[in-house]
mmCIF file of all heavy atoms in Angstrom:
data_model
loop_
_atom_site.group_PDB
_atom_site.id
_atom_site.type_symbol
_atom_site.label_atom_id
_atom_site.label_comp_id
_atom_site.label_asym_id
_atom_site.label_seq_id
_atom_site.Cartn_x
_atom_site.Cartn_y
_atom_site.Cartn_z
ATOM 1 N N GLU I 1034 85.382 108.411 -69.905
ATOM 2 C CA GLU I 1034 84.739 109.270 -70.832
ATOM 3 C C GLU I 1034 84.144 110.510 -70.061
ATOM 4 O O GLU I 1034 84.090 111.564 -70.541
ATOM 5 C CB GLU I 1034 83.538 108.542 -71.605
ATOM 6 C CG GLU I 1034 83.967 107.732 -72.694
ATOM 7 C CD GLU I 1034 84.781 108.341 -73.580
ATOM 8 O OE1 GLU I 1034 84.344 109.455 -74.266
ATOM 9 O OE2 GLU I 1034 85.890 107.903 -74.114
ATOM 10 N N ILE I 1035 83.613 110.252 -68.837
ATOM 11 C CA ILE I 1035 83.110 111.323 -68.006
ATOM 12 C C ILE I 1035 84.171 112.309 -67.754
ATOM 13 O O ILE I 1035 84.026 113.426 -67.792
ATOM 14 C CB ILE I 1035 82.494 110.758 -66.735
ATOM 15 C CG1 ILE I 1035 81.160 110.101 -67.176
ATOM 16 C CG2 ILE I 1035 82.164 111.843 -65.774
ATOM 17 C CD1 ILE I 1035 80.486 109.363 -66.049
ATOM 18 N N LEU I 1036 85.461 111.738 -67.294
ATOM 19 C CA LEU I 1036 86.454 112.684 -67.006
ATOM 20 C C LEU I 1036 87.057 113.441 -68.150
ATOM 21 O O LEU I 1036 87.233 114.521 -68.223
ATOM 22 C CB LEU I 1036 87.776 111.705 -66.424
ATOM 23 C CG LEU I 1036 87.419 111.213 -65.007
ATOM 24 C CD1 LEU I 1036 88.633 110.437 -64.584
ATOM 25 C CD2 LEU I 1036 87.142 112.372 -63.956
ATOM 26 N N LYS I 1037 87.065 112.676 -69.365
ATOM 27 C CA LYS I 1037 87.468 113.369 -70.549
ATOM 28 C C LYS I 1037 86.433 114.539 -70.982
ATOM 29 O O LYS I 1037 86.845 115.532 -71.354
ATOM 30 C CB LYS I 1037 87.525 112.406 -71.758
ATOM 31 C CG LYS I 1037 87.992 112.915 -73.012
ATOM 32 C CD LYS I 1037 87.945 111.930 -74.037
ATOM 33 C CE LYS I 1037 88.236 112.469 -75.483
ATOM 34 N NZ LYS I 1037 88.316 111.473 -76.511
ATOM 35 N N LYS I 1038 85.120 114.210 -70.729
ATOM 36 C CA LYS I 1038 84.171 115.263 -71.002
ATOM 37 C C LYS I 1038 84.408 116.504 -70.136
ATOM 38 O O LYS I 1038 84.244 117.676 -70.622
ATOM 39 C CB LYS I 1038 82.830 114.678 -70.857
ATOM 40 C CG LYS I 1038 81.596 115.525 -71.212
ATOM 41 C CD LYS I 1038 80.308 114.751 -70.859
ATOM 42 C CE LYS I 1038 79.136 115.704 -70.793
ATOM 43 N NZ LYS I 1038 77.847 115.023 -70.464
ATOM 44 N N ALA I 1039 84.566 116.342 -68.816
ATOM 45 C CA ALA I 1039 84.762 117.342 -67.903
ATOM 46 C C ALA I 1039 86.025 118.126 -68.176
ATOM 47 O O ALA I 1039 86.048 119.315 -68.149
ATOM 48 C CB ALA I 1039 84.984 116.729 -66.540
ATOM 49 N N TYR I 1040 87.203 117.443 -68.695
ATOM 50 C CA TYR I 1040 88.360 118.114 -69.029
ATOM 51 C C TYR I 1040 88.164 119.104 -70.309
ATOM 52 O O TYR I 1040 88.584 120.210 -70.283
ATOM 53 C CB TYR I 1040 89.434 117.110 -69.275
ATOM 54 C CG TYR I 1040 90.797 117.760 -69.795
ATOM 55 C CD1 TYR I 1040 91.545 118.362 -68.981
ATOM 56 C CD2 TYR I 1040 91.085 117.768 -71.187
ATOM 57 C CE1 TYR I 1040 92.676 119.004 -69.384
ATOM 58 C CE2 TYR I 1040 92.130 118.349 -71.681
ATOM 59 C CZ TYR I 1040 93.097 118.981 -70.795
ATOM 60 O OH TYR I 1040 94.167 119.606 -71.280
ATOM 61 N N VAL I 1041 87.555 118.477 -71.282
ATOM 62 C CA VAL I 1041 87.245 119.295 -72.473
ATOM 63 C C VAL I 1041 86.321 120.398 -72.139
ATOM 64 O O VAL I 1041 86.568 121.607 -72.682
ATOM 65 C CB VAL I 1041 86.608 118.427 -73.548
ATOM 66 C CG1 VAL I 1041 86.193 119.002 -74.793
ATOM 67 C CG2 VAL I 1041 87.493 117.313 -74.012
ATOM 68 N N ARG I 1042 85.389 120.244 -71.371
ATOM 69 C CA ARG I 1042 84.486 121.336 -71.002
ATOM 70 C C ARG I 1042 85.229 122.429 -70.260
ATOM 71 O O ARG I 1042 85.066 123.542 -70.517
ATOM 72 C CB ARG I 1042 83.279 120.762 -70.185
ATOM 73 C CG ARG I 1042 82.092 121.798 -69.933
ATOM 74 C CD ARG I 1042 81.017 121.077 -69.132
ATOM 75 N NE ARG I 1042 80.695 119.766 -69.512
ATOM 76 C CZ ARG I 1042 80.374 118.822 -68.471
ATOM 77 N NH1 ARG I 1042 80.346 119.126 -67.170
ATOM 78 N NH2 ARG I 1042 80.068 117.662 -68.811
ATOM 79 N N GLY I 1043 86.092 122.098 -69.351
ATOM 80 C CA GLY I 1043 86.931 122.866 -68.576
ATOM 81 C C GLY I 1043 87.843 123.837 -69.493
ATOM 82 O O GLY I 1043 88.037 124.909 -69.284
ATOM 83 N N CYS I 1044 88.324 123.190 -70.551
ATOM 84 C CA CYS I 1044 89.312 123.857 -71.400
ATOM 85 C C CYS I 1044 88.635 124.852 -72.477
ATOM 86 O O CYS I 1044 89.161 125.778 -72.860
ATOM 87 C CB CYS I 1044 90.098 122.750 -72.201
ATOM 88 S SG CYS I 1044 91.335 122.013 -71.328
ATOM 89 N N THR I 1045 87.374 124.423 -72.606
ATOM 90 C CA THR I 1045 86.597 125.205 -73.703
ATOM 91 C C THR I 1045 85.773 126.247 -73.335
ATOM 92 O O THR I 1045 85.463 127.293 -73.981
ATOM 93 C CB THR I 1045 85.764 124.310 -74.661
ATOM 94 O OG1 THR I 1045 84.897 123.564 -73.944
ATOM 95 C CG2 THR I 1045 86.750 123.332 -75.424
ATOM 96 N N GLU I 1046 85.349 126.223 -72.075
ATOM 97 C CA GLU I 1046 84.345 127.173 -71.422
ATOM 98 C C GLU I 1046 85.140 128.346 -70.886
ATOM 99 O O GLU I 1046 85.978 128.172 -70.066
ATOM 100 C CB GLU I 1046 83.395 126.594 -70.544
ATOM 101 C CG GLU I 1046 82.400 125.670 -71.227
ATOM 102 C CD GLU I 1046 81.196 125.258 -70.294
ATOM 103 O OE1 GLU I 1046 80.957 126.039 -69.329
ATOM 104 O OE2 GLU I 1046 80.674 124.183 -70.500
ATOM 105 N N ASN I 1047 84.651 129.537 -71.237
ATOM 106 C CA ASN I 1047 85.482 130.794 -70.688
ATOM 107 C C ASN I 1047 85.132 131.011 -69.212
ATOM 108 O O ASN I 1047 85.942 131.438 -68.490
ATOM 109 C CB ASN I 1047 85.096 132.047 -71.499
ATOM 110 C CG ASN I 1047 85.640 131.879 -72.884
ATOM 111 O OD1 ASN I 1047 86.638 131.298 -73.123
ATOM 112 N ND2 ASN I 1047 85.023 132.705 -73.709
ATOM 113 N N GLU I 1048 83.829 130.727 -68.806
ATOM 114 C CA GLU I 1048 83.473 130.989 -67.507
ATOM 115 C C GLU I 1048 83.600 129.700 -66.506
ATOM 116 O O GLU I 1048 83.012 129.817 -65.488
ATOM 117 C CB GLU I 1048 82.011 131.488 -67.392
ATOM 118 C CG GLU I 1048 81.629 132.734 -68.337
ATOM 119 C CD GLU I 1048 82.515 133.957 -67.636
ATOM 120 O OE1 GLU I 1048 82.428 134.178 -66.484
ATOM 121 O OE2 GLU I 1048 82.980 134.739 -68.536
ATOM 122 N N MET I 1049 84.309 128.814 -66.960
ATOM 123 C CA MET I 1049 84.471 127.621 -66.104
ATOM 124 C C MET I 1049 85.287 127.859 -64.875
ATOM 125 O O MET I 1049 86.402 128.366 -65.000
ATOM 126 C CB MET I 1049 84.986 126.429 -66.992
ATOM 127 C CG MET I 1049 85.091 125.114 -66.285
ATOM 128 S SD MET I 1049 83.487 124.327 -65.633
ATOM 129 C CE MET I 1049 82.803 123.959 -67.036
ATOM 130 N N THR I 1050 84.827 127.516 -63.758
ATOM 131 C CA THR I 1050 85.541 127.618 -62.496
ATOM 132 C C THR I 1050 85.788 126.098 -62.020
ATOM 133 O O THR I 1050 85.082 125.223 -62.470
ATOM 134 C CB THR I 1050 84.937 128.410 -61.459
ATOM 135 O OG1 THR I 1050 83.716 127.771 -61.133
ATOM 136 C CG2 THR I 1050 84.736 129.724 -61.917
ATOM 137 N N LYS I 1053 82.497 125.033 -60.453
ATOM 138 C CA LYS I 1053 81.545 124.588 -61.439
ATOM 139 C C LYS I 1053 81.909 123.226 -62.024
ATOM 140 O O LYS I 1053 81.077 122.384 -62.340
ATOM 141 C CB LYS I 1053 81.424 125.646 -62.619
ATOM 142 C CG LYS I 1053 80.545 125.187 -63.740
ATOM 143 C CD LYS I 1053 79.530 126.127 -64.048
ATOM 144 C CE LYS I 1053 78.736 125.853 -65.213
ATOM 145 N NZ LYS I 1053 78.031 124.610 -65.240
ATOM 146 N N MET I 1054 83.202 123.046 -62.258
ATOM 147 C CA MET I 1054 83.672 121.787 -63.043
ATOM 148 C C MET I 1054 83.336 120.560 -62.035
ATOM 149 O O MET I 1054 82.866 119.541 -62.576
ATOM 150 C CB MET I 1054 85.149 121.710 -63.393
ATOM 151 C CG MET I 1054 85.596 120.534 -64.240
ATOM 152 S SD MET I 1054 87.205 120.594 -64.690
ATOM 153 C CE MET I 1054 87.734 122.243 -65.157
ATOM 154 N N ILE I 1055 83.667 120.786 -60.874
ATOM 155 C CA ILE I 1055 83.378 119.665 -59.784
ATOM 156 C C ILE I 1055 81.851 119.436 -59.665
ATOM 157 O O ILE I 1055 81.454 118.309 -59.608
ATOM 158 C CB ILE I 1055 84.041 120.040 -58.422
ATOM 159 C CG1 ILE I 1055 85.578 120.030 -58.545
ATOM 160 C CG2 ILE I 1055 83.460 119.202 -57.325
ATOM 161 C CD1 ILE I 1055 86.188 120.599 -57.337
ATOM 162 N N GLU I 1056 81.031 120.412 -59.715
ATOM 163 C CA GLU I 1056 79.696 120.263 -59.722
ATOM 164 C C GLU I 1056 79.154 119.574 -60.951
ATOM 165 O O GLU I 1056 78.269 118.667 -60.783
ATOM 166 C CB GLU I 1056 78.892 121.695 -59.519
ATOM 167 C CG GLU I 1056 79.168 122.292 -58.151
ATOM 168 C CD GLU I 1056 78.617 121.414 -56.906
ATOM 169 O OE1 GLU I 1056 77.578 120.774 -57.084
ATOM 170 O OE2 GLU I 1056 79.418 121.320 -56.011
ATOM 171 N N ASP I 1057 79.580 119.906 -62.133
ATOM 172 C CA ASP I 1057 79.268 119.089 -63.192
ATOM 173 C C ASP I 1057 79.733 117.793 -63.262
ATOM 174 O O ASP I 1057 78.968 116.876 -63.739
ATOM 175 C CB ASP I 1057 79.884 119.896 -64.515
ATOM 176 C CG ASP I 1057 79.099 121.283 -64.903
ATOM 177 O OD1 ASP I 1057 78.172 121.396 -64.217
ATOM 178 O OD2 ASP I 1057 79.764 121.952 -65.772
ATOM 179 N N LEU I 1058 80.839 117.432 -62.688
ATOM 180 C CA LEU I 1058 81.464 116.231 -62.631
ATOM 181 C C LEU I 1058 80.603 115.236 -61.677
ATOM 182 O O LEU I 1058 80.273 114.225 -61.974
ATOM 183 C CB LEU I 1058 82.804 116.238 -62.187
ATOM 184 C CG LEU I 1058 83.654 114.908 -62.186
ATOM 185 C CD1 LEU I 1058 83.602 114.207 -63.532
ATOM 186 C CD2 LEU I 1058 85.076 115.205 -61.712
ATOM 187 N N LYS I 1059 80.097 115.973 -60.696
ATOM 188 C CA LYS I 1059 79.203 115.301 -59.614
ATOM 189 C C LYS I 1059 78.044 114.739 -60.301
ATOM 190 O O LYS I 1059 77.538 113.662 -60.174
ATOM 191 C CB LYS I 1059 78.978 116.028 -58.466
ATOM 192 C CG LYS I 1059 79.984 116.274 -57.455
ATOM 193 C CD LYS I 1059 79.527 117.126 -56.241
ATOM 194 C CE LYS I 1059 80.633 117.490 -55.321
ATOM 195 N NZ LYS I 1059 80.085 118.264 -54.267
ATOM 196 N N VAL I 1060 77.341 115.604 -61.161
ATOM 197 C CA VAL I 1060 76.116 115.348 -61.812
ATOM 198 C C VAL I 1060 76.375 114.214 -62.828
ATOM 199 O O VAL I 1060 75.446 113.222 -62.924
ATOM 200 C CB VAL I 1060 75.582 116.598 -62.543
ATOM 201 C CG1 VAL I 1060 74.497 116.277 -63.479
ATOM 202 C CG2 VAL I 1060 75.161 117.619 -61.583
ATOM 203 N N ASP I 1061 77.447 114.286 -63.616
ATOM 204 C CA ASP I 1061 77.816 113.151 -64.480
ATOM 205 C C ASP I 1061 77.956 111.886 -63.892
ATOM 206 O O ASP I 1061 77.517 110.859 -64.326
ATOM 207 C CB ASP I 1061 79.000 113.487 -65.329
ATOM 208 C CG ASP I 1061 78.661 114.714 -66.439
ATOM 209 O OD1 ASP I 1061 77.610 114.938 -66.591
ATOM 210 O OD2 ASP I 1061 79.771 115.274 -66.886
#
Side-chain angles (χ1 to χ4, degrees):
E1034 284 300 313
I1035 289 172
L1036 289 180
K1037 181 180 175 183
K1038 180 179 167 186
Y1040 175 78
V1041 169
R1042 194 180 316 141
C1044 289
T1045 58
E1046 290 190 25
N1047 292 337
E1048 300 295 319
M1049 181 61 73
T1050 63
K1053 170 126 175 59
M1054 189 183 312
I1055 290 170
E1056 291 301 318
D1057 289 348
L1058 186 56
K1059 283 181 185 178
V1060 170
D1061 289 342

